[in-house]
């Protein structure tokens, strides 16, 4: 027990060191790339070509294999950024700042993908591109948060203060996002009769579910891959004049 | 600490009194935007009465945005903030007093002015008390967010402030307008008031410390 704890502690300290991370990520990236390609292609190909057609929506529903993973990933990225923001505020770990900086554009693009694929899905099934539903609105707000974080980061010239400023904003956003979600729910029940059900009343069948799970997993791997690559690029950008980087 | 807070308070009052543009421009902005809505949408009293709570809240929100940059910027530029952060005095009282004075000068006049929507937008006069109460409870939260955005974007482009404040203020906007419209529908709006109050109490310490952290960034 004690040993695992101390191992975890050394791992945590190693995570804070950019040369170590640069080395390890360089080794793992090819494997992550391979697995993300595998999972994503299996999930998407199975879902799009081999899963049964939905009897209510027809073939349109197949966009679920992109939409649901993107939506899930877009929120998960914000949670990880919140954890990194806490780490960056308390321990001033520079890798945490690099993490937030690299993940914010990825999160923004996946949120955008979720919004776009959702509206492409909504057009044939609900007959409208956009509806001011609770879930759509809070996803849009999440997207705006990502943009605000990116623009705040880019407004600082000093990297260290940029990291801290972005951590503060990420934390305040993380506190505020549940409040926004809840208040949008109330607003929705007050202003809009629940005419369209967004969650299917019938549970999803296993033939559709398995490719969906694989595809969600593939999306997470893609996020991991792009996150590792973006962090590597950011490390290289910041430490280009350091001794270890020249000798790498 | 209270003596220090009092002194900062008077100093702020004097400096706001000298810069009349900082509290006059939100008022002008508010009146103009209120006037834009009937011109752009419709001059039918029934339509306007229906839209009045939302229009008022949006105008209040947008006009408070104008004063965000002023909360800390002047002290940052003339170096007073430097002195505050190098002296070992309570920066918490500085931040709280600054937010309070900013609210008094930028939100309070607009709240008082917003009672004119009874004539301008034909809001039913019995709903006015509800609207004013929702504004009184809701605008301090917006001032908190404004202070945070101002502290984060000190000496930066001014577009950054609104980009931070507006998404954060969505719950207040929703709750504030819902309070008035639920009253107009014959329901009890106290739920929305209590929620806004809860959000304010919850966020007050959090945002104040975040502000201090954000200000300190400029002195590292």
């Amino acid at each position: 027990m004690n040993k695992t704890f101390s191992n975890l502690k050394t791992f945590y300290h190693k995570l804070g060191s950019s040369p170590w991370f640069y080395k390890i990520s360089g080794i793992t990236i090819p494997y992550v790339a391979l697995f993300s390609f595998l999972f994503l292609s299996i999930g998407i190909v199975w879902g799009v070509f081999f899963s049964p057609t939905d009897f209510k929506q027809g073939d349109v529903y197949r966009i679920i294999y992109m939409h649901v993973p993107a939506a899930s990933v877009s929120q998960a990225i914000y949670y990880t950024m919140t954890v990194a923001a806490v780490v960056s505020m308390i321990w001033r770990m520079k890798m945490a700042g690099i993490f937030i900086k690299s993940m914010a554009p990825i999160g923004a693009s996946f949120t955008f993908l979720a919004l776009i694929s959702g509206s492409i899905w909504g057009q044939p099934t609900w007959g409208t591109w956009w509806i001011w539903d609770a879930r759509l609105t809070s996803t849009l707000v999440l997207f705006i948060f990502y943009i605000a974080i990116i623009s705040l980061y880019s407004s600082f010239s000093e990297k260290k203060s940029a990291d801290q400023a972005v951590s503060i904003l990420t934390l305040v956003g993380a506190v505020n996002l549940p409040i926004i979600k809840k208040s949008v729910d109330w607003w929705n029940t007050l202003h809009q009769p629940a005419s369209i059900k967004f969650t299917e009343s019938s549970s999803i069948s296993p033939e559709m579910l398995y490719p969906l799970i694989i595809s969600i997993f593939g999306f997470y791997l893609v996020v991991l891959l792009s996150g590792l690559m973006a962090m590597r690029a950011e490390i290289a950008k910041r430490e280009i004049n350091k001794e270890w980087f020249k000798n790498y | 600490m209270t003596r220090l807070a009092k002194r900062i308070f008077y100093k702020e009052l004097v400096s706001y009194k000298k810069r009349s543009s900082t509290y006059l421009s939100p008022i002008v902005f508010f009146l103009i935007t209120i006037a834009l809505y009937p011109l752009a949408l419709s001059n039918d009293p029934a339509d306007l009465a229906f839209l009045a709570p939302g229009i008022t809240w949006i105008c209040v929100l947008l006009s408070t945005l104008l004063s965000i940059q002023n909360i800390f910027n002047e002290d940052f530029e003339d170096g007073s903030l430097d002195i505050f952060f190098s002296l070992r005095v309570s920066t918490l009282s500085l931040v709280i007093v600054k937010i309070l004075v900013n609210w008094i000068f930028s939100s309070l006049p607009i709240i008082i002015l917003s009672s004119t929507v009874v004539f301008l937008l034909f809001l039913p006069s019995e709903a006015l008390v509800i609207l004013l109460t929702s504004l009184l409870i809701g605008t301090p939260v917006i001032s908190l967010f404004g202070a945070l955005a101002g502290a984060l974007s000190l000496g930066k482009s001014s577009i950054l402030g609104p980009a931070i404040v507006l998404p954060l203020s969505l719950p207040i906007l929703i709750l504030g307008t819902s309070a008035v419209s639920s009253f107009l529908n014959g329901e009890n709006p106290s739920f929305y008031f209590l929620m806004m109050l809860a959000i304010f109490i919850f966020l007050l310490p959090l945002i104040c410390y975040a502000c201090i952290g954000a200000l300190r960034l400029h002195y590292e």
Side-chain angles (χ1 to χ4, degrees), chain B residues 10-29:
Chain B
Y10 286 129
K11 183 230 151 209
E12 285 294 301
L13 284 186
V14 170
S15 73
Y16 266 91
K17 230 163 70 186
K18 276 185 184 161
R19 290 173 289 146
S20 52
S21 74
T22 52
Y23 60 89
L24 283 179
S25 53
I27 292 173
V28 174
F29 183 83

Side-chain angles (χ1 to χ4, degrees), chain B:
Chain B
M1 172 155 172
T2 46
R3 240 187 72 199
L4 177 76
K6 237 184 222 166
R7 285 210 177 155
I8 303 170
F9 186 74
Y10 286 129
K11 183 230 151 209
E12 285 294 301
L13 284 186
V14 170
S15 73
Y16 266 91
K17 230 163 70 186
K18 276 185 184 161
R19 290 173 289 146
S20 52
S21 74
T22 52
Y23 60 89
L24 283 179
S25 53
I27 292 173
V28 174
F29 183 83
F30 178 77
L31 285 175
I32 288 179
T33 39
I34 285 282
L36 289 180
Y37 279 92
L39 294 175
L41 294 172
S42 121
N43 56 5
D44 181 25
D47 287 351
L48 285 175
F50 172 70
L51 295 171
I55 293 176
T56 318
W57 257 99
I58 292 176
C59 293
V60 168
L61 187 60
L62 292 180
S63 37
T64 46
L65 282 183
L66 289 184
S67 62
I68 285 172
Q69 292 292 337
N70 299 330
I71 301 182
F72 296 112
N73 222 9
E74 177 147 313
D75 278 4
F76 177 64
E77 278 169 1
D78 70 9
S80 323
L81 271 183
D82 274 294
I83 295 169
F84 260 106
F85 275 85
S86 56
L87 292 174
R88 289 251 153 241
V89 294
S90 155
T91 44
L92 184 64
S93 55
L94 172 80
V95 167
I96 291 178
V97 168
K98 273 195 162 293
I99 295 172
L100 178 70
V101 175
N102 177 65
W103 182 80
I104 289 173
F105 274 94
S106 69
S107 295
L108 205 55
I110 292 171
I111 294 173
I112 294 165
L113 259 183
S114 65
S115 45
T116 54
V117 295
V118 175
F119 318 109
L120 293 176
L121 299 177
F122 308 102
L123 182 81
S125 51
E126 65 269 20
L128 181 66
V129 182
I130 305 294
L131 177 70
L132 290 182
T133 318
S134 75
L135 286 173
L136 271 176
I137 303 175
T139 44
V141 185
I142 296 170
S143 287
L144 284 180
F145 290 140
L148 177 69
L152 280 175
S153 63
L154 263 188
K156 302 276 175 350
S157 74
S158 54
I159 191 66
L160 204 59
I164 294 171
V165 176
L166 288 179
L168 287 171
S169 330
L170 282 187
I172 297 301
L173 181 70
I174 292 169
L175 292 170
T177 50
S178 299
V180 185
S181 44
S182 74
F183 175 78
L184 290 175
N185 290 339
E187 293 159 37
N188 188 358
S190 60
F191 165 75
Y192 300 102
F193 292 151
L194 291 175
M195 272 322 290
M196 281 197 283
L197 209 57
I199 292 177
F200 174 67
I201 293 167
F202 175 62
L203 286 178
L204 179 65
L206 192 91
I207 301 283
C208 284
Y209 279 108
C211 270
I212 293 173
L215 288 174
R216 202 159 273 159
L217 288 183
H218 301 274
Y219 299 109
E220 272 189 353

Side-chain angles (χ1 to χ4, degrees), chain A residues 135-157:
Chain A
R135 214 183 293 182
L136 273 75
T137 313
S138 44
T139 311
L140 184 66
V141 173
L142 183 68
F143 180 64
I144 297 170
F145 261 107
Y146 278 124
I147 300 293
I149 288 171
I150 295 169
S151 63
L152 180 68
Y153 185 89
S154 62
S155 76
F156 279 85
S157 51

Side-chain angles (χ1 to χ4, degrees), chain A residues 132-135 183-193:
Chain A
W132 286 101
D133 156 76
R135 214 183 293 182
S183 60
V184 167
D185 276 343
W186 289 322
W187 160 73
N188 200 42
T189 50
L190 188 82
H191 287 250
Q192 204 182 47

Side-chain angles (χ1 to χ4, degrees), chain A residues 51-65:
Chain A
S51 65
T53 307
D54 188 80
F55 82 103
K56 247 197 278 179
Q57 298 186 11
D59 280 327
V60 185
Y61 95 96
R62 290 179 199 281
I63 202 168
I64 195 175
Y65 297 110

Side-chain angles (χ1 to χ4, degrees), chain A residues 108-121:
Chain A
S109 35
F110 276 102
T111 316
F112 188 66
L113 183 67
L115 285 171
I116 290 290
S117 62
S119 75
I120 291 172
W121 193 8

